[in-house]
Amino acid sequence: MSNKVSLCIKLILSLMLYEPCEAAVGNVSCTASISSSCELYGNAVCACYQKLDSGETCSRVNDATECVSNAVCKIVSSGLKCTCDTGYYDDNFGDPGGQCKVEIALGAICTVSGFADECVPFSTCMSVGSDLKCQCSIGYYDNDVNTAAGTCVLELQSGVTCTRVNDATECVPNSICKDTGFGLKCYCNTGFYDNNFAASGGQCVAEIALSVTCTQVYIQTECVPNAVCQSEGLELKCTCSNGYYDSNFADSGGTCKTELESGVTCTRENDATECVPNSICKDTGSGLKCYCNTGYYDHNFAASGGQCVAEREFGVTCTQNNQPKECVTNAVCKNGGSGLKCYCNTGFYDNNFAASGGQCIPEKESGVTCTQNNQPTECVPNAVCKSGVCICNTGYYDDNFSTIGGQCVSDHSPLYFELDFTNNRPSHNIPKFHTYIKWDNNKNIDYVQLLHNQQDRLLSLVNDISTLDDASDSVREITQILYNSAFEVFGRSVLINKNENNIRKNNEWFDEKCAKERENFHKFRNIFLRHPTDINGQFYITARNSFNKAKRQARTRFKRWKGIELCITAKTDPRKFWSTIKPKNKSHCEVDNDVLFNHFETILGDIPPDICYEVLDLLNNIQISEFHVDFLDSEITDNEVIKAIHKLKNYCS
């Protein structure tokens, strides 16, 4: 009963609401119209229903009968719904009552900005100029830009083979299709890198700026050009590679620029950031420029454009003959017989005491502490290290005349022994002169000018040397020129008295020690006259005092010896004793008491040394002849003593 009611209701509704169905013929199905579906009920009875719009609930899964054209009943999240077929879209965009229309091709006009429903897959309706058109969505590209038949396909990632040379269309953003020798492939543009860090398959993202955190240690890929990802404390950050510096000097947003070479203009004074390694930006009078640090030199040997490399140590091979630049301080590059090497300048020595590898430091002067015993290397010329101190060699002395700090110079003048300047003129009736040179600092300029006037002659003597004999002759003549020039400016002459009797002789008491002290005194006096400095004056005074002391001591020793000699003589030969003390300038023996004792004091001094009793007896207890015993108790007068001495001396008894 219920089925008949349901059938009647359907028939009534179909007649009232829908288009009539075409009559059935026999058991042949009804013919549906565009907007309705028909069902056969019995013989030649058709029931018609309106088709369901896109999005409406349907009942027959995977059946398009009850849905509008180009739609099918599918299971979706909300149940069975009429869904547009592939290539079609719901023109009501999901609201009830929509039809399924053909998707709009790429480049064709669309209606709803930002919607992808009406456009072909992977494309979106977006503004193009003043129109709305379907364009491929982000990450996709039109595979047929020349026609409207294109579809949106996934963009090709970095390193993937592409087809359109120098075209960025088919590649991921920030990349382009080009040939770098391995066929056409997508490569990231400048300023971008492959975030997959592989030969292919990554996106092109912006390079990481300097001082910003990075991920791939010691890899340059993700950092801006000429920078590398390195550790900074506990973080990885992009830092300029060797040979480059941050143009923004550590502030964000900088680029890595090539470091400025030696001699090139820079901008940040006393800052090494923008200069090549081992150099710094400073102003030495010609503006701010990069200059090599101490211990380094410009390997280009030019005003600008070189790297700063470590100076070559003593004995190390060098390249620039007679150039000091590439060698350590106080050294020069020269050929010492085994090729070009760095050698210490005069006055300096290798502190490594080896064939190579040391610094050149000043030689240690006389009296200065040294380390290499019995070695002359570290001491000034003509000195050697002994017991940890630099000592002048035999024949040389410290020209500073102090405990430390002098040079070792010869005790004599080599010029004087090289040349014989003796006056060889005949001696008869011609006076002799002693010639000598006394240096005067006030006349130095005159001496230099005189030598300058003879410069051509001196040069010719040097240039004409071809044999050893020539060298000897040239040295002799050059020395003669130097001496004659010096004598012309500083020379003096003194007349020599020919009377040999007037030649001053040494006193009898002048011994060998006096002679040595006199020689030392003359040496220091001459040095002081040539170089009148305070220190030389002090040494001169010290030498003079020492000489005078030696003379006093010698006289005292001599008088003591004379006293002992008189003692011996008084014991053994009184006659000789009186002959010794008798004044030599008297022609007779008459002498008063004062004269006798004054003469004796002259021999022995004002305070004579201890004298033996024999001498005192002879002087104080003289035996007087022809005396009477009665006189012994009488007072003896001075005249009587003198008279007795006269007799004794006259009789030589």
Side-chain angles (χ1 to χ4, degrees):
M1 182 68 182
S2 58
N3 288 336
K4 291 182 179 181
V5 173
S6 176
L7 178 59
C8 289
I9 293 172
K10 287 183 179 182
L11 289 175
I12 293 170
L13 290 174
S14 65
L15 292 174
M16 294 175 59
L17 302 174
Y18 303 109
E19 296 179 4
C21 297
E22 294 181 4
V25 178
N27 289 327
V28 178
S29 299
C30 303
T31 302
S33 66
I34 296 177
S35 58
S36 62
S37 59
C38 299
E39 293 183 359
L40 178 64
Y41 294 94
N43 293 327
V45 178
C46 289
C48 298
Y49 306 94
Q50 185 178 10
K51 289 187 175 183
L52 302 174
D53 292 329
S54 173
E56 289 188 320
T57 300
C58 53
S59 59
R60 301 175 182 175
V61 64
N62 296 327
D63 191 334
T65 305
E66 55 187 330
C67 298
V68 293
S69 300
N70 305 313
V72 68
C73 185
K74 291 184 177 180
I75 299 174
V76 295
S77 59
S78 56
L80 286 173
K81 300 285 184 179
C82 286
T83 305
C84 291
D85 294 335
T86 301
Y88 296 85
Y89 73 96
D90 181 354
D91 65 356
N92 210 23
F93 304 104
D95 291 334
Q99 300 296 309
C100 290
K101 293 184 177 180
V102 177
E103 291 173 338
I104 300 172
L106 293 175
I109 299 297
C110 52
T111 59
V112 183
S113 177
F115 271 66
D117 296 2
E118 58 185 329
C119 297
V120 293
F122 310 117
S123 64
T124 303
C125 183
M126 59 185 71
S127 297
V128 178
S130 58
D131 298 323
L132 290 175
K133 293 184 178 181
C134 287
Q135 301 290 317
C136 288
S137 302
I138 295 174
Y140 296 86
Y141 73 97
D142 183 356
N143 68 351
D144 190 357
V145 294
N146 298 319
T147 68
T151 59
C152 292
V153 296
L154 194 65
E155 290 173 337
L156 304 176
Q157 294 180 323
S158 172
V160 176
T161 300
C162 50
T163 59
R164 303 170 183 174
V165 65
N166 297 325
D167 191 329
T169 306
E170 56 187 330
C171 298
V172 291
N174 307 312
S175 64
I176 192 171
C177 182
K178 58 184 177 180
D179 189 351
T180 60
F182 302 96
L184 289 174
K185 292 185 179 181
C186 289
Y187 290 96
C188 292
N189 296 334
T190 301
F192 298 85
Y193 71 97
D194 181 355
N195 66 355
N196 200 31
F197 304 103
S200 63
Q203 299 294 313
C204 292
V205 296
E207 292 172 337
I208 300 173
L210 294 175
S211 301
V212 177
T213 301
C214 49
T215 61
Q216 305 293 310
V217 65
Y218 302 132
I219 298 297
Q220 294 179 312
T221 308
E222 61 184 328
C223 297
V224 292
N226 305 314
V228 65
C229 185
Q230 304 185 75
S231 297
E232 281 194 7
L234 300 177
E235 295 183 297
L236 290 176
K237 291 186 178 182
C238 285
T239 307
C240 288
S241 304
N242 292 335
Y244 297 87
Y245 73 97
D246 182 354
S247 64
N248 213 22
F249 303 100
D251 291 336
S252 59
T255 59
C256 292
K257 291 186 176 180
T258 303
E259 291 173 337
L260 305 177
E261 294 180 317
S262 172
V264 176
T265 300
C266 49
T267 59
R268 298 169 68 91
E269 187 170 13
N270 296 324
D271 192 329
T273 306
E274 58 189 327
C275 299
V276 292
N278 308 313
S279 64
I280 193 170
C281 181
K282 59 183 177 179
D283 189 352
T284 60
S286 58
L288 289 174
K289 292 183 179 180
C290 290
Y291 290 96
C292 293
N293 296 333
T294 302
Y296 297 85
Y297 71 97
D298 180 356
H299 84 303
N300 203 28
F301 303 101
S304 64
Q307 299 292 315
C308 292
V309 297
E311 292 173 339
R312 303 173 191 267
E313 295 179 318
F314 172 83
V316 177
T317 301
C318 49
T319 60
Q320 303 292 311
N321 192 25
N322 294 323
Q323 287 293 330
K325 290 184 178 180
E326 61 183 323
C327 299
V328 293
T329 304
N330 305 316
V332 66
C333 180
K334 61 183 179 180
N335 192 337
S338 58
L340 290 174
K341 292 184 178 181
C342 289
Y343 291 95
C344 292
N345 295 332
T346 302
F348 299 85
Y349 73 97
D350 174 15
N351 67 349
N352 202 29
F353 304 102
S356 63
Q359 300 292 315
C360 292
I361 61 177
E363 293 173 337
K364 298 177 180 178
E365 296 180 316
S366 173
V368 176
T369 302
C370 51
T371 59
Q372 305 291 310
N373 278 328
N374 300 320
Q375 291 294 328
T377 308
E378 59 185 323
C379 299
V380 292
N382 307 314
V384 67
C385 183
K386 292 183 178 180
S387 300
V389 178
C390 287
I391 304 295
C392 292
N393 296 331
T394 303
Y396 295 86
Y397 68 94
D398 180 355
D399 67 351
N400 204 26
F401 306 106
S402 62
T403 305
I404 59 173
Q407 300 291 315
C408 293
V409 297
S410 176
D411 286 341
H412 54 75
S413 169
L415 297 181
Y416 180 83
F417 292 97
E418 175 66 25
L419 298 175
D420 183 10
F421 297 120
T422 305
N423 191 338
N424 293 321
R425 292 178 294 178
S427 60
H428 38 272
N429 299 328
I430 300 178
K432 291 185 178 180
F433 290 89
H434 171 62
T435 60
Y436 65 96
I437 294 174
K438 183 177 181 181
W439 193 268
D440 186 350
N441 289 332
N442 296 325
K443 296 182 179 181
N444 288 350
I445 297 178
D446 298 337
Y447 181 50
V448 172
Q449 183 60 45
L450 195 59
L451 291 177
H452 183 74
N453 295 338
Q454 302 183 74
Q455 181 178 2
D456 293 340
R457 176 57 182 158
L458 292 171
L459 290 175
S460 66
L461 289 172
V462 175
N463 295 331
D464 291 343
I465 296 176
S466 59
T467 65
L468 187 60
D469 292 338
D470 292 340
S472 299
D473 294 340
S474 294
V475 170
R476 182 174 295 276
E477 187 167 350
I478 290 172
T479 307
Q480 182 71 63
I481 292 174
L482 296 177
Y483 178 83
N484 290 341
S485 300
F487 187 79
E488 183 175 340
V489 178
F490 310 109
R492 297 185 181 183
S493 298
V494 178
L495 177 64
I496 300 177
N497 194 332
K498 295 196 301 180
N499 188 354
E500 295 182 357
N501 293 329
N502 292 333
I503 298 176
R504 180 181 178 183
K505 296 183 178 179
N506 290 334
N507 291 312
E508 191 175 359
W509 49 263
F510 198 89
D511 57 12
E512 182 179 352
K513 183 175 181 181
C514 290
K516 184 175 181 180
E517 290 295 336
R518 180 176 63 182
E519 179 183 358
N520 197 44
F521 163 67
H522 287 165
K523 180 178 72 172
F524 284 107
R525 182 189 63 183
N526 294 337
I527 291 173
F528 175 68
L529 292 175
R530 290 194 299 270
H531 308 288
T533 63
D534 292 341
I535 187 66
N536 288 344
Q538 293 175 7
F539 285 117
Y540 163 53
I541 293 173
T542 302
R544 181 191 64 189
N545 294 340
S546 180
F547 179 39
N548 291 336
K549 180 179 179 180
K551 290 190 292 183
R552 289 194 302 271
Q553 292 175 344
R555 281 194 293 264
T556 300
R557 288 193 300 271
F558 177 77
K559 289 177 180 179
R560 184 177 297 278
W561 173 76
K562 274 295 184 182
I564 295 173
E565 187 179 62
L566 285 173
C567 288
I568 297 173
T569 304
K571 291 178 182 179
T572 59
D573 192 351
R575 183 176 180 178
K576 185 178 179 181
F577 169 78
W578 287 111
S579 176
T580 301
I581 67 173
K582 185 178 72 173
K584 303 299 182 183
N585 59 345
K586 298 293 183 177
S587 58
H588 53 82
C589 291
E590 293 182 1
V591 60
D592 58 30
N593 190 40
D594 292 336
V595 172
L596 176 62
F597 279 90
N598 287 339
H599 174 66
F600 187 76
E601 289 179 353
T602 301
I603 296 176
L604 299 181
D606 296 335
I607 305 177
D610 295 338
I611 300 176
C612 60
Y613 289 113
E614 287 80 4
V615 173
L616 294 178
D617 287 343
L618 288 173
L619 293 176
N620 298 324
N621 300 307
I622 299 175
Q623 298 295 324
I624 302 176
S625 62
E626 299 180 1
F627 64 90
H628 298 281
V629 176
D630 296 338
F631 294 160
L632 293 177
D633 294 331
S634 302
E635 185 178 356
I636 300 175
T637 64
D638 291 340
N639 289 333
E640 289 176 330
V641 174
I642 293 173
K643 184 182 294 185
I645 291 176
H646 284 176
K647 289 182 179 181
L648 178 63
K649 293 171 68 176
N650 288 335
Y651 296 143
C652 297
S653 173

